[in-house]
Amino acid sequence: MAKHPVPKRKTSKTRTKKRYASFKTRNITRMLNAVQLTVCEKCGEKRRAHHLCEACGVYRGRQVLKVKSVDDKITKIQA
């Protein structure tokens, strides 16, 4: 029967914490760089790269989506 490999010395708490801390920071930076934001040419809002602008509905200079303006959403209450 083959014996399993066993570490010669105990892994210290500091070494263990360093390993998990580097894993955490590496993944945080990867997630922050995953989403690329650009500025819309028409309205100036931030939007995802290669996606249409949710504020004005324009993609690559063309009106793709008709977006309701703020005035259309407000309803006036008459007393």
Side-chain angles (χ1 to χ4, degrees):
M1 187 162 136
K3 293 189 176 184
H4 296 288
V6 178
K8 283 197 173 198
R9 296 189 183 272
K10 177 182 176 180
T11 307
S12 68
K13 294 176 187 176
T14 306
R15 191 175 181 93
T16 306
K17 288 178 183 178
K18 280 183 185 177
R19 181 173 58 244
Y20 287 112
S22 67
F23 173 78
K24 180 182 173 184
T25 55
R26 185 173 53 236
N27 283 331
I28 286 174
T29 55
R30 187 170 53 92
M31 292 301 291
L32 288 175
N33 295 332
V35 176
Q36 295 179 354
L37 297 177
T38 58
V39 178
C40 179
E41 299 85 21
K42 185 177 177 186
C43 65
E45 291 283 327
K46 287 187 178 180
R47 63 177 182 85
R48 293 183 355 198
H50 308 289
H51 287 75
L52 66 92
C53 179
E54 294 180 3
C56 62
V58 174
Y59 180 68
R60 297 181 70 181
R62 289 180 289 155
Q63 188 71 31
V64 178
L65 185 68
K66 186 177 180 182
V67 179
K68 292 183 181 179
S69 64
V70 178
D71 298 332
D72 295 340
K73 293 180 183 178
I74 297 173
T75 58
K76 295 182 180 179
I77 299 172
Q78 295 178 351

